[in-house]
Amino acid sequence: MINFDNVFFKYNKGEDSLKGINLTINNGEVVLVCGSSGCGKSTLVRCVNGLIPHFYDGEITGTVTVNGIDVSQTTLRKISHHVGTVFQNPRSQFFNVDTTSELAFGCENFGLESDEIEKRINQIVNKHELAKLMDRSIFKLSGGEKQKIACASVAVEPVDVIILDEPSANLDYKGICELQKMIAAWKEENKTILIAEHRISYLFPYITRAILMNSGEIEKEYSVDEIRGLTEDDLHKLGLRAEENKNPVEAIPDIPKVDGSGERLILTDMKYSYKGESPVFNIPEMEIPKGEIVAIVGANGAGKSTFLRCLCGMEHSCKAKLKVGDEIWKNKKRRQSIYMVMQDVNHQLFTDSVLEEVVISQEKEDEEEALRILESLDLAEYADKHPLALSGGQKQRVAVASAVASGRDIILFDEPTSGLDYYHMIQVSGLLEKLKEAGKTVIIVTHDVELIKKACTFVVPFDSVRKNILEK
């Protein structure tokens, strides 16, 4: 059982993040914690797994107990024997460089015998069809594949409580279906599951109730029937995503595929493979509509993020050429002329403040313009804060703000709305539309059907076959 008794928490140099939380979660319950970005969801779950107060500094009052154990008075090591966590950014929880070792790691910390560890790993791998991800380098996995490994590494451990923080953020349609199976299996095993999430409809068959948070407080509690009964407009007003889990290509049939009309960027001779492996893709020629918002959609692990890195010249071994008007852009020119927002934005946040982060992206420094961009993304109040002190969704918006400030003619986004609530997804889609109006070409790798419907003008399906991988 999980119990919060009048819990207040304030991060150092921050506002109160939890305000008088009283909550009891019984054994075997599956509880959804939802609300707009910054409402306190992640802070609440950190109080259960012990990251608060043992990792994140701040002031806490009240008591949080798990299975009768006072979290604040117990070491993280002991808490981990009761609670397993899948973080929003799975990279932050990996301790090994290969997938099989990562699955074994938690069990080894429990002191399980090697035969038992192997048995548990085989059961999870077979049950959830993960064989193709075993014995792989963590560094060569896509974001969605990393998320699957993170879930599996928790599934193999003999814990009673499982926490999922935005688990669907980087998953494709099939990946969410596999996550549903994992949650169903945990529920059948009578695990207690606490899920912080913006996309909620895929969880309806499994949750026992839902907690809506707002400004660090529990605003309302819903039964399953009550939250299922909310309309799309109701959910959007609460900052929640209403789109059901669907295959993007099937869900957006009315958005045009790339055809032969209009001005084009011509990409040629793009071929890439990791050292000693088969080509990830081989693209003799591809046309990209110029001045449009183009969505690249497809399965986790198909090579979409690698494609973006090659397109902007980050992968030096990929010698592709991009024809822009009468010019041919090779790697160096593409690095100078294309801006990319990565899937893991922690890789590109360098400065000591949010405002500086935007200013350094500008060709000519203009703090007033930088502040206007931050204002458009609800980030002005964080201008003086360190970027890495922000929530995952806030950091995502800082990276988007930096892209807008760059003034580049071609801007690439890798899952720009992962971890964003509905309201901030709408803000991002509005900025994308403004970029298009300014004549920019925007290329987005995304699984977000709502974003595609709202902003994208073309869709390119990314075929999972590793030859001629892009269909026109």
Side-chain angles (χ1 to χ4, degrees):
M1 183 171 73
I2 302 168
N3 187 68
F4 285 76
D5 183 10
N6 198 32
V7 175
F8 288 77
F9 180 74
K10 178 179 180 179
Y11 291 100
N12 284 349
K13 300 180 182 179
E15 297 178 357
D16 290 343
S17 294
L18 295 180
K19 305 170 185 176
I21 301 295
N22 290 288
L23 175 65
T24 298
I25 299 173
N26 296 314
N27 293 337
E29 277 202 275
V30 182
V31 177
L32 167 65
V33 183
C34 55
S36 59
S37 293
C39 70
K41 301 187 301 295
S42 294
T43 301
L44 185 141
V45 300
R46 287 169 185 165
C47 290
V48 178
N49 62 22
L51 290 180
I52 292 175
H54 300 294
F55 183 81
Y56 290 97
D57 292 330
E59 181 183 337
I60 187 168
T61 60
T63 306
V64 181
T65 58
V66 177
N67 295 339
I69 299 168
D70 187 336
V71 172
S72 66
Q73 302 300 315
T74 309
T75 65
L76 276 173
R77 180 179 176 82
K78 289 183 179 178
I79 296 168
S80 70
H81 283 222
H82 299 270
V83 183
T85 306
V86 177
F87 297 100
Q88 183 176 344
N89 179 2
R91 285 185 69 255
S92 62
Q93 70 188 85
F94 291 146
F95 292 90
N96 296 274
V97 296
D98 72 277
T99 54
T100 305
S101 297
E102 189 60 39
L103 263 62
F105 181 76
C107 293
E108 290 170 344
N109 283 336
F110 274 84
L112 300 181
E113 296 292 334
S114 58
D115 289 348
E116 175 65 14
I117 294 174
E118 187 174 347
K119 176 184 173 184
R120 284 176 171 273
I121 291 174
N122 287 337
Q123 285 176 339
I124 294 300
V125 168
N126 293 331
K127 191 171 188 177
H128 299 288
E129 300 176 356
L130 298 172
K132 67 178 182 179
L133 296 181
M134 291 298 96
D135 299 315
R136 296 266 304 276
S137 167
I138 292 284
F139 304 106
K140 293 181 181 179
L141 300 183
S142 71
E145 288 172 331
K146 289 173 185 173
Q147 195 79 329
K148 293 176 189 178
I149 292 299
C151 288
S153 67
V154 170
V156 299
E157 297 177 358
V159 293
D160 304 316
V161 178
I162 295 174
I163 291 174
L164 306 175
D165 192 1
E166 300 285 355
S168 72
N170 297 312
L171 296 180
D172 62 6
Y173 163 76
K174 185 179 178 183
I176 292 177
C177 292
E178 291 167 355
L179 175 62
Q180 286 177 305
K181 286 189 217 175
M182 201 165 280
I183 293 171
W186 288 332
K187 186 174 182 179
E188 199 172 295
E189 295 166 7
N190 204 40
K191 306 277 190 185
T192 304
I193 309 172
L194 189 59
I195 309 170
E197 182 65 283
H198 290 122
R199 294 180 174 89
I200 65 173
S201 61
Y202 78 94
L203 295 168
F204 287 164
Y206 315 104
I207 61 173
T208 52
R209 56 184 163 131
I211 305 295
L212 176 69
M213 295 193 68
N214 184 23
S215 300
E217 300 179 283
I218 294 177
E219 183 171 289
K220 188 170 182 178
E221 184 173 322
Y222 294 90
S223 69
V224 180
D225 290 338
E226 285 173 334
I227 198 161
R228 289 180 96 159
L230 295 178
T231 66
E232 183 175 300
D233 284 344
D234 291 334
L235 292 171
H236 287 168
K237 286 175 184 176
L238 296 174
L240 304 176
R241 300 302 198 93
E243 188 69 45
E244 295 180 9
N245 183 36
K246 295 178 181 177
N247 184 322
V249 177
E250 296 172 0
I252 45 179
D254 54 331
I255 297 181
K257 309 299 184 288
V258 179
D259 57 25
S261 62
E263 196 173 353
R264 293 288 186 266
L265 306 175
I266 310 297
L267 179 67
T268 56
D269 301 326
M270 179 178 276
K271 184 176 182 180
Y272 183 79
S273 60
Y274 292 107
K275 189 174 181 179
E277 296 188 12
S278 301
V280 178
F281 44 70
N282 181 10
I283 307 169
E285 182 174 301
M286 174 190 174
E287 296 182 353
I288 301 170
K290 187 178 180 182
E292 301 289 347
I293 305 173
V294 181
I296 307 286
V297 300
N300 287 134
K304 303 185 301 298
S305 296
T306 305
F307 168 75
L308 289 191
R309 292 198 304 273
C310 290
L311 182 58
C312 70
M314 289 173 62
E315 297 292 348
H316 296 269
S317 63
C318 181
K319 306 300 182 184
K321 302 180 187 69
L322 183 68
K323 185 177 181 183
V324 182
D326 295 328
E327 292 186 71
I328 299 295
W329 293 4
K330 296 185 179 180
N331 278 14
K332 183 178 179 180
K333 178 65 174 177
R334 296 202 308 277
R335 285 195 297 273
Q336 294 171 340
S337 307
I338 299 175
Y339 193 99
M340 178 175 172
V341 176
M342 301 179 188
Q343 187 172 12
D344 183 356
V345 296
N346 292 296
H347 287 313
Q348 58 189 120
L349 299 175
F350 305 108
T351 69
D352 293 329
S353 77
V354 168
L355 179 59
E356 285 181 61
E357 202 65 53
V358 178
V359 168
I360 65 165
S361 298
Q362 296 174 318
E363 190 170 328
K364 184 178 180 181
E365 290 190 10
D366 185 342
E367 283 198 7
E368 287 187 9
E369 174 63 17
L371 284 169
R372 281 194 290 271
I373 295 170
L374 291 175
E375 183 70 38
S376 71
L377 285 164
D378 282 347
L379 290 168
E381 64 182 294
Y382 305 110
D384 296 326
K385 291 196 72 172
H386 197 291
L388 297 182
L390 302 180
S391 71
Q394 290 165 340
K395 285 188 280 190
Q396 197 80 20
R397 283 181 277 144
V398 171
V400 172
S402 298
V404 173
S406 73
R408 303 283 177 88
D409 288 331
I410 302 174
I411 304 180
L412 314 181
F413 294 92
D414 194 355
E415 298 289 357
T417 55
S418 65
L420 294 190
D421 60 20
Y422 179 78
Y423 174 69
H424 291 110
M425 181 277 290
I426 291 296
Q427 283 187 326
V428 169
S429 71
L431 279 178
L432 298 179
E433 289 167 351
K434 287 180 182 177
L435 290 171
K436 178 183 180 299
E437 290 168 6
K440 312 296 185 185
T441 301
V442 180
I443 302 172
I444 309 169
V445 161
T446 185
H447 300 299
D448 190 340
V449 173
E450 287 181 300
L451 175 68
I452 296 170
K453 286 182 174 180
K454 191 71 182 173
C456 296
T457 53
F458 282 88
V459 174
V460 177
F462 208 83
D463 190 12
S464 59
V465 179
R466 296 193 175 216
K467 279 189 178 181
N468 302 323
I469 198 165
L470 287 168
E471 298 177 351
K472 291 184 276 186

